[in-house]
Amino acid sequence: MDAHSRGRADDIDPADQWVLNPRTGNYELRLDHSAGQSQAPATTHRSTGSVPAGPPVETPAAAPVPGQRRRRVGEQGGGGRQPPASRRRPKGGGARKKKVLLWTGGAMAFVLVGGGTGAYLIYQKLDGNISVIDPVGAESKGFRKGEAFNVLVIGTDKRTGEGNAGYGDNDSPGHADTTILFHVSKDRTNATALSIPRDLMTTIPECESRQPDGKILTIPGQEKARFNVSLGQDGRDPGCTMRTVKELTGLTVDHFMMVDFNAVKELTTAVGGVKVCVEKPVDDPKSHLKLPAGESVVQGEQALAFVRTRSSFGNKSDLDRIKIQQQFLSSMIRQLKSSETLTSPTKLYGLAQAATNALTVDKGIGSLSKLQDMAGELSGIDTKNISFATLPVIDNPDEPKPITVVPHPTQAPELFAALQNDVSLTEVKKKAQDTKNAQAQAQAKLLQGTRAEAVDVRVDVYNGSGVRGAAQSTINWLQNEQGVNRSTNRSNAPEKAARTTLAYAPNQADQARKLADMMGLPATALKPGPQDAAPREPMTLVLGADFKGAGVPVNGPVKAPDVVKVEADKQVCAK
């Protein structure tokens, strides 16, 4: 077995790093080059970011190895969380030898935490680092094979930790400053990271929010509210943000992972820095970011400045900052999956410490074992099949001088439909297109006959899909992109419909064929009436539960939408 497959690094064999502690009778990991007690570097305090004075903090050598009796939740000692002393008696040499062989034989597995963070699952005490919030009504389900899942990654602007006083709103309770919906495909071959702009105007539904003291408050919903106030404002917890994302996208959010400013600083430092690229020199007095043109490696405060700066790139808007953040995260994923990270026990321990300190998660992934389960689902995804995209938006039409945005009336529903139908933005385009073409040919045979011009099509649209705004988004698409100007939104259908249907009269058959072509309706959706319609009488289109978005074919698979995206395997220079 070679050094790489055994997890060796820097000429250190993991088998030589497990040493018997005569006081406890247990084997403990020593990350120095000797078998003696090592002096660990000072650890950054989680809440302040400072290096505490006085006696050295707990070192990796003082932590129990996995397999020891798990501490109870809430047991602490001193100023931090520490595991209790082991109550096990020393075992015979044979048993100890067997334990060493067990751990060095592969039980010290590498995992990918949160889509790319490598970490040893070594210390049970790391479990206690993770903060957990249990959103009201959320399911704590596992990861089922053959089912896609969605994780909401939330970066808050709450100013916690030393050196963060200059960032964010001074009185902010922690809003959803950076939000990414991470969709993992059901076959685990690809993932899409969808950035949601913080200045997006959307509907925040009523939600029950669990407060720090355990009380549950019902927070009223808001129409036309900024997306970022779905967290923090009026006592909203991450569960409210999860519900807002479901309302917006139609996708159920299974889990959330929330981090603050310190996460960027600590993780980038633990990994040894992240490579970034800028087309021109940067000297930003607001974020204090200074970089030469070309590639640089950033970590700590400089990394945080990079992902928060707006004044130096693009049109200095939050939308351009999102692009910078996507480029940064792509580079970080590449660094985390690189051999220099995965073969370094010191880096992996630092990453495990930093990642667990930084994370606040839902109960469903609120332990190392559950994070390991999620890591196993992500570990096989190639970086070339991880796409970063931004929700398509337009300027808010309700503002004379727009400073906020709203979802693009056609492109946003198309992208949501792709995610709902588990369509990759990278890998499976050709397969989906081939299937669609074959079905389109079959449909064409059923719809043979003449077709009216778009301007001659008259149709009333009813929403029976259960999707908010489906009728209006369809009208916008028909009128603005297809030229069907004689289309009318008739609001909600009398009841929900399982399937989309188009009712027409015999003398409207040419109109029906034209509309069916546009919308990708199957022949079974067309419902001819018994007698001709009166002049100027419209057809009736009822959108059903199979509605996937304006302009998205009801019949056949959804194609990957044409949106600007960044694949995680590519280095892009910020402009």
Side-chain angles (χ1 to χ4, degrees):
M1 183 179 293
D2 61 21
H4 178 74
S5 58
R6 293 182 63 185
R8 291 179 59 180
D10 304 322
D11 297 322
I12 303 173
D13 190 328
D16 297 331
Q17 296 175 278
W18 290 90
V19 181
L20 176 66
N21 186 333
R23 292 184 293 108
T24 65
N26 288 296
Y27 280 84
E28 300 170 349
L29 182 67
R30 307 293 170 84
L31 294 180
D32 65 340
H33 288 249
S34 67
Q37 182 72 28
S38 62
Q39 181 74 14
T43 301
T44 301
H45 193 278
R46 182 179 181 183
S47 63
T48 65
S50 62
V51 178
V57 296
E58 179 183 325
T59 68
V65 298
Q68 282 187 268
R69 185 174 178 271
R70 185 178 178 85
R71 63 168 175 76
R72 296 182 180 89
V73 175
E75 287 184 338
Q76 298 183 3
R81 305 183 185 187
Q82 298 179 358
S86 172
R87 298 180 182 176
R88 291 185 177 180
R89 297 179 180 178
K91 296 183 179 181
R96 290 194 295 268
K97 182 177 180 181
K98 184 177 180 180
K99 177 179 277 189
V100 172
L101 291 174
L102 171 66
W103 286 106
T104 60
M108 292 191 303
F110 298 119
V111 299
L112 297 173
V113 177
T117 303
Y120 269 131
L121 294 180
I122 298 177
Y123 302 113
Q124 287 190 13
K125 82 181 188 70
L126 294 179
D127 211 22
N129 289 349
I130 305 170
S131 298
V132 177
I133 294 176
D134 187 14
V136 180
E139 293 185 32
S140 299
K141 66 178 185 179
F143 301 97
R144 301 184 179 95
K145 296 298 182 185
E147 289 187 13
F149 67 90
N150 302 294
V151 180
L152 193 65
V153 182
I154 308 171
T156 77
D157 56 3
K158 189 173 183 178
R159 302 184 315 158
T160 53
E162 183 178 345
N164 295 328
Y167 297 108
D169 180 359
N170 187 44
D171 299 317
S172 174
H175 294 126
D177 193 56
T178 298
T179 306
I180 298 175
L181 180 62
F182 196 71
H183 172 81
V184 181
S185 68
K186 62 184 180 182
D187 62 4
R188 308 298 190 258
T189 63
N190 61 87
T192 299
L194 177 64
S195 294
I196 301 174
R198 67 176 189 178
D199 295 327
L200 178 79
M201 299 302 285
T202 188
T203 297
I204 300 177
E206 178 182 282
C207 66
E208 291 184 303
S209 175
R210 196 181 303 277
Q211 303 302 296
D213 61 2
K215 293 181 180 178
I216 296 176
L217 299 181
T218 299
I219 314 297
Q222 279 184 262
E223 298 283 343
K224 296 183 178 180
R226 261 191 174 92
F227 176 86
N228 69 331
V229 300
S230 64
L231 176 70
Q233 198 81 2
D234 301 323
R236 293 188 178 102
D237 69 358
C240 296
T241 309
M242 295 167 75
R243 291 180 183 87
T244 302
V245 171
K246 182 176 181 180
E247 178 87 6
L248 173 67
T249 67
L251 291 159
T252 297
V253 180
D254 301 295
H255 303 286
F256 80 86
M257 303 175 74
M258 186 167 65
V259 295
D260 57 22
F261 290 163
N262 273 350
V264 176
K265 296 194 290 188
E266 293 176 3
L267 287 171
T268 54
T269 299
V271 80
V274 174
K275 184 184 294 183
V276 298
C277 180
V278 295
E279 285 197 349
K280 58 185 179 181
V282 175
D283 187 356
D284 188 341
K286 293 182 179 180
S287 67
H288 308 294
L289 178 67
K290 293 185 178 181
L291 291 175
E295 291 187 349
S296 299
V297 175
V298 297
Q299 61 180 323
E301 290 286 352
Q302 197 177 29
L304 181 59
F306 183 84
V307 298
R308 286 193 55 78
T309 189
R310 287 190 294 177
S311 301
S312 300
F313 304 114
N315 61 9
K316 302 181 182 181
S317 71
D318 185 58
L319 295 176
D320 279 296
R321 184 171 67 169
I322 286 175
K323 296 177 185 177
I324 303 304
Q325 293 169 346
Q326 292 173 347
Q327 294 164 13
F328 177 86
L329 290 171
S330 296
S331 181
M332 190 171 183
I333 289 174
R334 294 194 299 274
Q335 176 67 20
L336 292 168
K337 298 188 79 169
S338 68
S339 59
E340 64 185 74
T341 299
L342 295 177
T343 58
S344 170
T346 304
K347 280 188 178 180
L348 286 167
Y349 177 75
L351 279 168
Q353 187 85 310
T356 54
N357 272 328
L359 287 176
T360 298
V361 300
D362 64 279
K363 186 178 179 181
I365 52 174
S367 67
L368 281 178
S369 63
K370 291 175 181 177
L371 285 173
Q372 184 183 19
D373 289 343
M374 185 171 73
E377 303 297 320
L378 302 173
S379 60
I381 303 177
D382 195 300
T383 53
K384 70 181 180 180
N385 291 324
I386 301 176
S387 296
F388 286 87
T390 303
L391 172 63
V393 295
I394 59 173
D395 289 339
N396 187 351
D398 294 337
E399 297 173 345
K401 293 184 178 180
I403 58 174
T404 62
V405 295
V406 296
H408 192 288
T410 57
Q411 293 178 9
E414 189 177 68
L415 182 55
F416 296 154
L419 294 177
Q420 292 164 12
N421 288 273
D422 203 33
V423 174
S424 170
L425 299 188
T426 56
E427 185 185 39
V428 296
K429 289 182 182 178
K430 187 177 185 302
K431 180 180 178 181
Q433 190 63 47
D434 289 345
T435 304
K436 180 188 172 186
N437 291 343
Q439 294 187 345
Q441 291 175 3
Q443 177 185 339
K445 293 180 180 179
L446 296 173
L447 297 175
Q448 289 178 351
T450 59
R451 281 150 180 76
E453 296 296 326
V455 294
D456 296 327
V457 174
R458 297 176 184 271
V459 62
D460 287 344
V461 181
Y462 293 84
N463 186 6
S465 68
V467 178
R468 190 187 205 111
Q472 187 57 52
S473 65
T474 300
I475 292 295
N476 292 341
W477 176 76
L478 286 172
Q479 294 181 351
N480 298 333
E481 298 191 27
Q482 301 299 315
V484 183
N485 298 320
R486 295 170 178 172
S487 52
T488 305
N489 180 2
R490 295 299 184 186
S491 193
N492 292 330
E495 58 185 16
K496 289 188 177 180
R499 297 185 178 277
T500 298
T501 58
L502 176 62
Y504 67 99
N507 62 338
Q508 295 172 323
D510 54 345
Q511 296 183 46
R513 294 188 190 102
K514 181 66 176 181
L515 193 61
D517 286 346
M518 293 177 182
M519 298 192 61
L521 297 176
T524 54
L526 274 60
K527 306 296 182 184
Q531 58 187 18
D532 287 350
R536 299 184 181 180
E537 183 177 345
M539 299 180 294
T540 300
L541 175 67
V542 178
L543 303 175
D546 55 354
F547 173 78
K548 301 169 183 174
V552 180
V554 173
N555 185 45
V558 179
K559 68 177 181 179
D562 185 16
V563 295
V564 177
K565 55 186 179 295
V566 176
E567 276 79 34
D569 66 325
K570 294 180 175 63
Q571 176 72 58
V572 180
C573 288
K575 299 179 180 180

